[in-house]
Each structure stands twice: as structure tokens, then as C-alpha cells.
Amino acid sequence: MAAKIIDGKKIASLTRADIASRVAQLKEESGVAPGLAVIIVGNDPASQVYVRNKKKACEEAGMYSVVIEMPEDTTQEALMEQIETLKENDRIHGILVQLPLPAHLDEEAVIAAIPPEKDVDAFHPINTGKIMIGNYDFLPCTPAGVMKLLEHEGVEISGKECVVVGRSNIVGKPQAMLLLHANGTVTICHSRTKNLAEITRRADILVVAIGKANYITGDMIRPGAVVIDVGMNRPAGGKLCGDVDFASCSTVAGAITPVPGGVGPMTITMLLENTLTAAKKAVEKNCKNP
Ligand code: NDP
């Protein structure tokens, strides 16, 4: 039987409408519009598209947004100074530095310079630690988007076998943590995992984030499994595709996300959610310490 297609575009659009109405409410109650600043260093075309999309999504949700473009040869010092300026700017509640940065810049130091309360990507070590503990303000956007998709589809996580393939700091590791907090029984796989197919076949919920086009095939999944494909690959001359081979998996899975139109649209949606959260927290803080 063909799997149910999880329509990330539709779920993202519903969620963004809800965020827009909460933004309008915040503005009405406090006069504050959530503000996001995105810093982009260099001319990477993919990064430029992502940044444009983030700005557009912010504006559609009624948020204030600025994009700060810095040249490829920006020094570490100049980037740090820019972050420092945004730190002090009361109109800006979220600061995001588009990654990857040019190789001469120290990414770790840049992430650590963003104040945790404005770290809407949730990459700062303090926010990462809070995710581990399960007491967080912000979640990294992609894993949070996956959780939202599962919630929207009414997928029960508690007690289920969850397998996450990929262990990056921005997707795999936090994804595993969120599934664990939702009481899933979680296994994390990576490039050194032996007998990957044996493990993926155990999954009731399989999340794949490896960056390898069409790597997971229908024989590697359990009949009826919920399959979430985070991958975004553009093979030379080919069309955008995921890490999951949609053709073979969609006849075995119970539900599956397509690429494009699955996890992708949820990532920016969760960035909007985080920016709104940051603005609300700033308003609450100002009410306490006017
Ligand atoms: P990284 O390259 O940082 O991490 C890839 C992970 O996959 C690593 O942990 C690696 O293992 C593991 N891996 C690689 N090959 C295999 C394999 N053959 N078997 C098992 N594990 C393997 O990638 P990201 O996490 O940043 O991104 C993953 C994918 O998700 C990419 O396609 C990216 O474009 C996409 N993405 C999509 C987003 C969206 O909004 N939809 C947002 C972010 C990412 P090891 O640690 O051992 O090297």
C-alpha cells in the first residue's frame, strides 16, 4: 500500500498563520514587533537564497527583519563587532549568522558570541546544554520542525523504536534528544555504524539526515514505519532529492515526507517561532525591570 505523504508545505503554512496571529497579538499588547537580524558573510549562492527566504518569511509573519551582508574577506574582529552591535539593539530579538562561514573565520567563537537569549538557531553551548537537560527556550529549527510534523500527523512517539541516522550537532544529535524527551527508545546511527539496514529496519520512526542522495532504500525500512527525510541533495545535473529513496520507500512506509515539500518548509517556520519566543521573553523581562 502507498504511504501517506506528510505535506510539510501545508503544515508549515498552517503553523506560520498561527505564528502571524501571535505576532499581531504581541504587537497589540506590547507595541513590540519581533525582530530578526541575519548576518551573511560572503557570496555563497545557496546561503543567499536561504537568507532571502528567511527575510521574506519574517515579513510575511509581521516581524521586523534586517539582513547584514558582509564581504568574503571580513575579519573575525569585524564580525564580532557586528554581533556586539546587534546584542545592544533592542529592536533585534534574534541574531542568526548564516553558516557555513568562510574558512578563515572561527565558527565556534562566532556562535559563542551570540547572547543565548538572542540565539534563535539554538547553537550556543548554553542552549545546546539546555536541550540535553530538556528545559529549553529554543530548539534548533530542523529537529523542532520534524517534531512539529510528527505532532501534526498524530504520530505516537512514546515507547516507539526511533532511529536517527546522522549525528551532526545541528540535526542528528538534537533530533535524538527530542525524540528521547518524547519517551521514544532512540538509536543514533552514523558513518561507522555496522549493519545499518538491520537497525533502520527496527524503526517505527526513522529520521534520516546524512546528506547522501537516495541512500535509504525500501528494503531498509520496516513496513508501516514513519519515515522523515531531512536530506537536501542536489546531484550534479539532477533535481533536489532527499537521503531517502522515495520511490522504493513510499511503497513500504506507513507515512513519509517528500523532498522538496517535507522537512524543508518547517525549518524556517521554526525560526519564526524562536524569534517570537525571544521577543516575548524580552517583553516579559522589560515588564519585570522597566
Ligand atoms: P553533516 O554532514 O553535518 O552530518 C552528516 C551525518 O551523517 C554525520 O553524522 C555522518 O556520520 C552521517 N553519515 C554520513 N554518511 C553516512 C552513512 N553512509 N551511513 C550512516 N551515517 C552517515 O550533515 P547535516 O546534519 O548538517 O545535514 C544532513 C542532511 O540534511 C544534508 O543533506 C543537509 O543538506 C540536510 N539539511 C536539511 C535541512 C532542512 O531544512 N531540510 C537543514 C539542515 C540540513 P559521521 O558523524 O560518522 O561522519
Side-chain angles (χ1 to χ4, degrees), residues 36 93-96 118-122 138-139 141 271 274-275 278:
L36 175 72
H93 305 99
I95 305 172
L96 183 157
K118 292 192 177 187
D119 171 40
V120 284
D121 252 344
F138 306 121
L139 291 174
C141 301
L271 173 66
N274 283 350
T275 306

Side-chain angles (χ1 to χ4, degrees), residues 5 7 24 31 33 37 47 70 128 132 136 149 157 176 235 255 261 267:
I5 311 294
D7 187 347
S47 292
M70 302 184 80
T128 309
M132 187 84 172
Y136 33 74
L149 288 178
I157 300 170
T267 297

Side-chain angles (χ1 to χ4, degrees), residues 72-185:
E72 183 81 26
D73 61 356
T74 296
T75 61
Q76 183 81 19
E77 203 184 7
L79 181 52
M80 291 302 213
E81 264 172 32
Q82 184 58 72
I83 293 172
E84 202 56 40
T85 308
L86 293 170
K87 228 164 134 172
E88 303 306 326
N89 184 337
D90 289 343
R91 284 193 79 186
I92 298 299
H93 305 99
I95 305 172
L96 183 157
V97 179
Q98 186 66 38
L99 303 178
L101 288 170
H104 67 280
L105 295 170
D106 180 349
E107 213 162 88
E108 223 173 284
V110 169
I111 291 171
I114 298 172
E117 67 277 11
K118 292 192 177 187
D119 171 40
V120 284
D121 252 344
F123 293 163
H124 190 286
I126 287 194
N127 287 325
T128 309
K130 283 183 162 186
I131 292 160
M132 187 84 172
I133 296 165
N135 173 18
Y136 33 74
D137 299 319
F138 306 121
L139 291 174
C141 301
T142 301
V146 169
M147 296 308 280
K148 192 89 189 170
L149 288 178
L150 294 174
E151 184 195 316
H152 189 274
E153 293 300 301
V155 176
E156 168 91 47
I157 300 170
S158 182
K160 294 290 161 63
E161 287 277 352
C162 304
V163 175
V164 178
V165 192
R167 58 172 166 179
S168 71
N169 288 332
I170 63 167
V171 188
K173 280 185 210 161
Q175 186 67 70
M177 248 337 118
L178 298 190
L179 290 164
L180 182 63
H181 293 321
N183 298 318
T185 302

